[in-house]
């Protein structure tokens, strides 16, 4: 489990829980026993994680929960030496916006036959 600080008043640490199976998994943000957000993914292959969906509980909107979930997935990808293919619009936007996380971005290769 990760503890990710983010801007909130008053400051409360947010816990990121990770559950992984051979076919899929999720990162769940929890603050004071409430689900703040959820990022779900599937495995395209052993080296590629596909971010399917990121959702933030409206009560936690604007607090960086979605960003923290994507960053947890990025940290996991780096640790496991795997790539991320974001199909979730929010995750796609973060990869487009933040060049520092593109090292784990899956880049499709055009095969000309």
């Amino acid at each position: 489990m990760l503890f990710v600080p983010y801007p909130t008043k008053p400051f409360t640490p947010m816990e990121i829980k990770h559950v992984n199976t051979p076919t899929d998994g999720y990162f769940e943000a929890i603050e004071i026993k409430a689900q703040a957000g959820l990022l779900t993914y599937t495995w395209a292959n052993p080296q590629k994680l596909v971010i399917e969906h990121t959702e933030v509980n409206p009560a936690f909107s604007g607090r960086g929960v979605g960003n923290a979930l994507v960053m947890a997935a990025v940290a996991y990808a780096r640790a496991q030496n795997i790539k991320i293919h974001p199909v979730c619009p929010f995750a796609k936007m973060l990869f487009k916006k933040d060049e520092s996380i593109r090292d784990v971005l899956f880049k499709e290769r055009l095969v000309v036959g």
Side-chain angles (χ1 to χ4, degrees), residues 3-98:
F3 288 94
V4 180
Y6 64 97
T8 181
K9 297 171 188 162
F11 174 78
T12 309
M14 180 174 52
E15 177 186 350
I16 304 287
K17 177 183 171 186
H18 181 208
V19 173
N20 182 44
T21 74
T23 58
D24 58 14
Y26 63 87
F27 290 89
E28 179 180 33
I30 302 166
E31 183 183 314
I32 311 171
K33 300 182 183 178
Q35 186 186 68
L38 185 70
L39 178 151
T40 60
Y41 63 85
T42 57
W43 288 102
N45 62 53
Q47 296 300 309
K48 183 169 69 168
L49 176 153
V50 179
I51 297 178
E52 300 283 346
H53 183 68
T54 305
E55 183 175 343
V56 174
N57 178 332
F60 296 90
S61 182
R63 296 192 192 180
V65 175
N67 187 60
L69 289 165
V70 172
M71 294 312 231
V74 167
Y76 176 72
R78 286 177 176 150
Q80 300 299 312
N81 197 28
I82 60 173
K83 297 295 182 183
I84 294 176
H85 181 190
V87 296
C88 161
F90 178 77
K92 271 186 185 179
M93 181 269 305
L94 280 183
F95 274 94
K96 184 175 183 179
K97 188 173 158 182
D98 188 349

